[in-house]
Coordinates of all heavy atoms in Angstrom, one line a residue:
Chain A
K2 N -6.4 -51.6 11.5 CA -7.4 -50.6 11.0 C -7.4 -49.4 11.9 O -7.4 -48.3 11.4 CB -8.7 -51.3 10.8 CG -9.9 -50.3 10.5 CD -11.2 -51.1 10.6 CE -12.3 -50.1 10.9 NZ -13.5 -50.7 11.4
N3 N -7.4 -49.7 13.2 CA -7.5 -48.6 14.2 C -6.2 -47.7 14.1 O -6.3 -46.5 14.2 CB -7.6 -49.1 15.6 CG -9.0 -49.6 15.9 OD1 -9.9 -49.4 15.0 ND2 -9.2 -50.3 17.0
K4 N -5.1 -48.3 13.9 CA -3.9 -47.6 13.8 C -3.9 -46.6 12.6 O -3.5 -45.5 12.7 CB -2.7 -48.5 13.7 CG -2.2 -49.1 15.0 CD -0.9 -49.8 14.8 CE -0.5 -50.5 16.1 NZ 0.6 -51.5 16.0
L6 N -6.6 -45.5 11.0 CA -7.6 -44.4 11.2 C -7.0 -43.4 12.2 O -7.3 -42.2 12.0 CB -8.9 -45.1 11.7 CG -9.7 -45.8 10.7 CD1 -10.8 -46.6 11.3 CD2 -10.2 -44.9 9.6
T7 N -6.4 -43.8 13.3 CA -5.8 -42.9 14.3 C -4.8 -42.0 13.6 O -4.7 -40.8 13.8 CB -5.2 -43.6 15.5 OG1 -6.2 -44.6 16.0 CG2 -4.8 -42.7 16.5
C9 N -4.6 -41.3 10.4 CA -5.3 -40.3 9.5 C -5.9 -39.2 10.3 O -5.8 -38.0 9.9 CB -6.4 -41.1 8.8 SG -5.8 -42.2 7.5
L10 N -6.4 -39.5 11.5 CA -7.1 -38.4 12.3 C -6.0 -37.4 12.7 O -6.2 -36.2 12.6 CB -7.8 -39.1 13.5 CG -8.8 -38.2 14.2 CD1 -9.9 -37.8 13.3 CD2 -9.3 -39.0 15.4
F13 N -4.8 -35.4 9.9 CA -5.8 -34.4 9.4 C -5.7 -33.1 10.3 O -5.7 -32.0 9.7 CB -7.2 -35.0 9.5 CG -8.3 -34.0 9.2 CD1 -8.6 -33.7 7.9 CD2 -9.0 -33.4 10.2 CE1 -9.6 -32.8 7.6 CE2 -10.0 -32.5 10.0 CZ -10.3 -32.2 8.7
F14 N -5.6 -33.3 11.6 CA -5.5 -32.1 12.5 C -4.2 -31.4 12.2 O -4.2 -30.2 12.3 CB -5.7 -32.5 13.9 CG -7.1 -32.8 14.3 CD1 -7.6 -34.0 14.5 CD2 -7.9 -31.7 14.6 CE1 -8.9 -34.2 14.8 CE2 -9.3 -31.9 15.0 CZ -9.8 -33.1 15.1
F15 N -3.2 -32.1 12.0 CA -1.9 -31.5 11.8 C -1.9 -30.7 10.5 O -1.4 -29.5 10.4 CB -0.8 -32.6 11.7 CG 0.6 -32.0 11.5 CD1 1.2 -31.3 12.5 CD2 1.3 -32.2 10.3 CE1 2.5 -30.8 12.3 CE2 2.5 -31.7 10.1 CZ 3.1 -31.0 11.1
M17 N -4.6 -29.4 9.0 CA -5.5 -28.3 9.3 C -4.8 -27.2 10.0 O -5.0 -26.0 9.8 CB -6.7 -28.7 10.0 CG -7.7 -29.5 9.2 SD -8.3 -28.7 7.7 CE -9.4 -27.5 8.4
L18 N -3.9 -27.6 10.9 CA -3.1 -26.6 11.7 C -2.2 -25.8 10.7 O -2.1 -24.6 10.8 CB -2.3 -27.3 12.8 CG -1.6 -26.4 13.8 CD1 -2.6 -25.6 14.6 CD2 -0.7 -27.2 14.7
I19 N -1.5 -26.5 9.9 CA -0.6 -25.9 8.9 C -1.4 -25.0 7.9 O -1.0 -23.9 7.6 CB 0.2 -26.9 8.1 CG1 1.2 -27.6 9.1 CG2 1.0 -26.3 7.0 CD1 1.9 -28.8 8.6
L20 N -2.5 -25.6 7.5 CA -3.3 -24.8 6.5 C -3.9 -23.5 7.1 O -4.1 -22.5 6.4 CB -4.5 -25.7 6.0 CG -4.1 -26.8 5.0 CD1 -5.3 -27.7 4.7 CD2 -3.4 -26.3 3.8
A21 N -4.2 -23.6 8.4 CA -4.7 -22.4 9.0 C -3.7 -21.2 8.9 O -4.0 -20.1 8.7 CB -5.0 -22.7 10.5
V22 N -2.4 -21.6 9.1 CA -1.4 -20.5 9.0 C -1.1 -20.1 7.6 O -1.1 -19.0 7.2 CB 0.0 -21.1 9.6 CG1 1.1 -20.1 9.4 CG2 -0.3 -21.4 11.1
V23 N -1.1 -21.2 6.7 CA -0.8 -20.9 5.3 C -1.9 -20.0 4.7 O -1.7 -19.1 3.9 CB -0.6 -22.2 4.5 CG1 -0.5 -21.9 3.0 CG2 0.7 -22.9 5.0
A24 N -3.1 -20.4 5.0 CA -4.3 -19.7 4.4 C -4.3 -18.2 4.8 O -4.6 -17.4 4.0 CB -5.6 -20.4 4.8
Q25 N -3.9 -18.0 6.1 CA -3.9 -16.6 6.5 C -2.8 -15.8 5.8 O -3.0 -14.6 5.4 CB -3.7 -16.5 8.0 CG -4.9 -16.9 8.8 CD -4.7 -16.6 10.3 OE1 -4.5 -15.5 10.7 NE2 -4.8 -17.6 11.0
I27 N -1.5 -16.5 2.8 CA -1.9 -16.4 1.4 C -2.9 -15.2 1.3 O -2.8 -14.3 0.4 CB -2.5 -17.7 0.8 CG1 -1.5 -18.7 0.6 CG2 -3.2 -17.4 -0.5 CD1 -2.0 -20.1 0.2
Y28 N -3.9 -15.2 2.2 CA -4.9 -14.1 2.1 C -4.3 -12.8 2.4 O -4.5 -11.8 1.7 CB -5.9 -14.4 3.2 CG -7.0 -13.3 3.4 CD1 -7.9 -13.1 2.4 CD2 -7.0 -12.5 4.5 CE1 -8.9 -12.1 2.5 CE2 -7.9 -11.5 4.6 CZ -8.9 -11.3 3.6 OH -9.8 -10.3 3.8
Q310 N -13.3 -6.0 13.0 CA -12.8 -7.2 13.6 C -13.2 -8.4 12.7 O -14.4 -8.5 12.4 CB -13.4 -7.4 15.0 CG -12.7 -6.7 16.1 CD -11.3 -7.2 16.3 OE1 -11.0 -8.4 16.1 NE2 -10.4 -6.4 16.8
R311 N -12.3 -9.2 12.4 CA -12.6 -10.4 11.6 C -12.2 -11.6 12.5 O -11.7 -11.5 13.6 CB -11.8 -10.4 10.3 CG -12.2 -9.3 9.3 CD -13.6 -9.3 8.9 NE -14.0 -10.5 8.2 CZ -13.9 -10.7 6.9 NH1 -13.4 -9.7 6.2 NH2 -14.2 -11.8 6.3
V312 N -12.4 -12.7 11.9 CA -12.1 -14.0 12.7 C -10.7 -14.1 13.0 O -10.3 -14.5 14.1 CB -12.5 -15.2 11.8 CG1 -12.2 -16.5 12.5 CG2 -14.0 -15.2 11.5
Y313 N -9.8 -13.6 12.1 CA -8.4 -13.7 12.3 C -7.8 -12.5 12.9 O -6.6 -12.3 12.9 CB -7.7 -14.1 11.0 CG -8.4 -13.5 9.8 CD1 -8.2 -12.2 9.4 CD2 -9.3 -14.2 9.1 CE1 -8.8 -11.6 8.3 CE2 -9.9 -13.7 8.0 CZ -9.7 -12.4 7.6 OH -10.4 -11.9 6.5
G314 N -8.6 -11.6 13.4 CA -8.1 -10.4 14.1 C -8.6 -9.1 13.4 O -9.5 -9.1 12.7
Chain B
Y71 N -9.5 -25.9 -2.6 CA -8.5 -24.9 -2.5 C -9.1 -23.6 -2.0 O -8.5 -22.9 -1.1 CB -7.8 -24.7 -3.8 CG -6.7 -23.6 -3.8 CD1 -5.4 -23.9 -3.4 CD2 -7.0 -22.3 -4.1 CE1 -4.5 -22.9 -3.3 CE2 -6.1 -21.3 -4.1 CZ -4.8 -21.6 -3.7 OH -3.8 -20.6 -3.6
V74 N -10.2 -23.9 1.8 CA -9.2 -24.1 2.8 C -8.1 -23.1 2.7 O -7.7 -22.5 3.7 CB -8.6 -25.5 2.8 CG1 -7.5 -25.7 3.8 CG2 -9.7 -26.5 3.0
L75 N -7.6 -22.8 1.5 CA -6.4 -21.9 1.4 C -6.9 -20.5 0.9 O -6.2 -19.5 1.2 CB -5.4 -22.5 0.3 CG -4.6 -23.6 0.9 CD1 -3.7 -24.2 -0.2 CD2 -3.7 -23.1 2.0
G76 N -8.0 -20.5 0.2 CA -8.4 -19.2 -0.3 C -9.2 -18.4 0.7 O -9.4 -17.2 0.6
N77 N -9.7 -19.1 1.7 CA -10.5 -18.4 2.7 C -10.0 -18.8 4.1 O -10.3 -19.8 4.6 CB -12.0 -18.9 2.5 CG -12.9 -18.1 3.4 OD1 -12.6 -17.0 3.9 ND2 -14.1 -18.7 3.6
P78 N -9.3 -17.9 4.7 CA -8.7 -18.2 6.0 C -9.7 -18.5 7.1 O -9.4 -19.1 8.1 CB -7.8 -17.1 6.3 CG -8.3 -15.9 5.5 CD -8.9 -16.5 4.3
E79 N -10.9 -17.9 6.9 CA -11.9 -18.1 8.0 C -12.3 -19.5 8.2 O -12.7 -19.9 9.3 CB -13.1 -17.3 7.6 CG -12.8 -15.8 7.6 CD -14.0 -15.0 7.1 OE1 -14.7 -15.5 6.2 OE2 -14.2 -13.8 7.5
T81 N -10.6 -22.4 8.1 CA -9.7 -23.1 9.1 C -9.8 -22.5 10.5 O -9.7 -23.2 11.5 CB -8.2 -23.0 8.6 OG1 -7.9 -21.7 8.2 CG2 -8.0 -23.9 7.4
I82 N -10.0 -21.2 10.5 CA -10.1 -20.6 11.9 C -11.4 -21.0 12.6 O -11.4 -21.3 13.7 CB -10.0 -19.1 11.8 CG1 -8.6 -18.7 11.4 CG2 -10.4 -18.4 13.1 CD1 -8.5 -17.2 11.1
F83 N -12.5 -21.1 11.8 CA -13.7 -21.6 12.4 C -13.6 -23.0 12.8 O -14.1 -23.5 13.8 CB -14.9 -21.4 11.5 CG -15.3 -20.0 11.2 CD1 -15.6 -19.5 10.0 CD2 -15.3 -19.1 12.3 CE1 -16.0 -18.2 9.8 CE2 -15.7 -17.8 12.1 CZ -16.0 -17.3 10.8
F84 N -12.9 -23.8 12.0 CA -12.6 -25.2 12.3 C -11.9 -25.3 13.7 O -12.3 -26.1 14.6 CB -11.8 -25.9 11.2 CG -11.4 -27.3 11.5 CD1 -12.3 -28.3 11.2 CD2 -10.2 -27.6 12.1 CE1 -11.9 -29.7 11.5 CE2 -9.8 -28.9 12.4 CZ -10.7 -29.9 12.1
W85 N -10.9 -24.5 13.8 CA -10.1 -24.6 15.1 C -10.9 -24.0 16.3 O -10.7 -24.3 17.4 CB -8.8 -23.9 14.9 CG -7.8 -24.8 14.2 CD1 -7.4 -24.7 12.9 CD2 -7.2 -26.0 14.7 NE1 -6.6 -25.7 12.6 CE2 -6.4 -26.5 13.7 CE3 -7.3 -26.6 16.0 CZ2 -5.7 -27.7 13.8 CZ3 -6.5 -27.8 16.1 CH2 -5.8 -28.3 15.1
N86 N -11.8 -23.1 16.0 CA -12.7 -22.6 17.0 C -13.6 -23.8 17.6 O -13.8 -23.9 18.8 CB -13.7 -21.5 16.5 CG -13.0 -20.2 16.3 OD1 -11.8 -20.0 16.7 ND2 -13.7 -19.2 15.8
V88 N -12.7 -26.9 17.5 CA -11.8 -27.8 18.3 C -11.5 -27.2 19.6 O -11.5 -27.9 20.6 CB -10.5 -28.0 17.5 CG1 -9.4 -28.8 18.3 CG2 -10.7 -28.7 16.2
W219 N -19.6 -31.1 18.5 CA -19.1 -30.7 17.2 C -20.2 -30.0 16.4 O -19.9 -29.1 15.6 CB -18.7 -32.0 16.4 CG -17.8 -31.7 15.2 CD1 -18.2 -31.6 13.9 CD2 -16.4 -31.5 15.2 NE1 -17.1 -31.3 13.1 CE2 -16.0 -31.3 13.9 CE3 -15.4 -31.4 16.2 CZ2 -14.6 -31.0 13.6 CZ3 -14.1 -31.2 15.9 CH2 -13.7 -31.0 14.5
E232 N -18.5 -12.7 16.5 CA -18.5 -13.7 15.4 C -17.2 -14.4 15.2 O -17.2 -15.6 14.8 CB -18.8 -12.8 14.1 CG -19.2 -13.6 12.9 CD -19.4 -12.7 11.7 OE1 -20.6 -12.2 11.6 OE2 -18.5 -12.4 11.0
R233 N -16.1 -13.8 15.6 CA -14.8 -14.4 15.4 C -14.6 -15.6 16.3 O -13.7 -16.4 16.1 CB -13.7 -13.4 15.6 CG -13.6 -12.9 17.0 CD -12.5 -11.9 17.2 NE -12.4 -11.4 18.6 CZ -11.6 -12.0 19.5 NH1 -10.8 -13.0 19.1 NH2 -11.6 -11.5 20.7
Y243 N -23.0 -18.7 7.6 CA -22.3 -17.4 7.2 C -21.6 -17.6 5.8 O -21.7 -16.8 4.9 CB -21.4 -16.9 8.3 CG -20.4 -15.9 7.8 CD1 -20.7 -14.6 7.8 CD2 -19.0 -16.3 7.5 CE1 -19.8 -13.6 7.4 CE2 -18.1 -15.3 7.2 CZ -18.5 -14.0 7.1 OH -17.6 -13.1 6.7
V258 N -14.9 -30.9 4.7 CA -13.7 -30.7 5.5 C -14.2 -30.8 7.0 O -13.5 -31.4 7.9 CB -13.0 -29.4 5.2 CG1 -12.0 -29.1 6.3 CG2 -12.4 -29.5 3.9
I261 N -15.0 -34.5 8.1 CA -13.9 -35.5 8.1 C -13.6 -36.0 9.5 O -13.5 -37.3 9.6 CB -12.7 -35.0 7.3 CG1 -13.0 -34.9 5.8 CG2 -11.5 -35.9 7.6 CD1 -11.8 -34.4 5.0
P262 N -13.3 -35.2 10.5 CA -13.0 -35.8 11.8 C -14.0 -36.7 12.4 O -13.8 -37.7 12.9 CB -12.8 -34.5 12.7 CG -12.5 -33.4 11.7 CD -13.3 -33.7 10.5
L265 N -13.9 -40.0 10.6 CA -12.8 -40.8 11.0 C -13.0 -41.4 12.4 O -12.7 -42.6 12.6 CB -11.5 -40.0 11.0 CG -11.0 -39.6 9.6 CD1 -9.8 -38.7 9.7 CD2 -10.6 -40.8 8.8
V266 N -13.6 -40.6 13.3 CA -13.8 -41.0 14.6 C -14.9 -42.1 14.6 O -14.8 -43.1 15.3 CB -14.3 -39.9 15.5 CG1 -14.8 -40.4 16.8 CG2 -13.1 -38.9 15.8
L268 N -15.5 -44.2 12.2 CA -14.9 -45.5 11.7 C -14.1 -46.1 12.8 O -14.0 -47.3 12.9 CB -14.1 -45.2 10.5 CG -14.8 -44.8 9.2 CD1 -13.8 -44.5 8.1 CD2 -15.7 -46.0 8.7
L269 N -13.4 -45.3 13.6 CA -12.5 -45.8 14.6 C -13.3 -46.5 15.7 O -12.8 -47.5 16.3 CB -11.8 -44.6 15.2 CG -10.5 -44.8 15.9 CD1 -9.4 -45.4 15.1 CD2 -9.9 -43.4 16.4
Q271 N -16.9 -47.4 15.8 CA -18.3 -47.7 15.5 C -18.9 -48.8 16.3 O -20.1 -48.8 16.6 CB -18.5 -47.9 14.0 CG -17.8 -49.1 13.5 CD -17.9 -49.2 11.9 OE1 -17.9 -48.2 11.3 NE2 -18.1 -50.4 11.4

Side-chain angles (χ1 to χ4, degrees):
Chain A
K2 173 190 152 193
N3 284 352
K4 277 187 186 171
L6 288 169
T7 309
C9 287
L10 196 61
F13 174 80
F14 280 102
F15 182 68
M17 287 301 285
L18 187 64
I19 293 172
L20 289 175
V22 175
V23 171
Q25 286 188 61
I27 290 175
Y28 175 73
Q310 277 296 330
R311 297 299 299 273
V312 175
Y313 30 83
Chain B
Y71 177 85
V74 178
L75 284 175
N77 185 20
E79 292 173 330
T81 47
I82 290 173
F83 290 138
F84 175 86
W85 282 106
N86 285 353
V88 174
W219 196 263
E232 194 179 272
R233 64 182 182 92
Y243 164 81
V258 168
I261 286 175
L265 290 174
V266 167
L268 288 178
L269 199 58
Q271 63 185 37

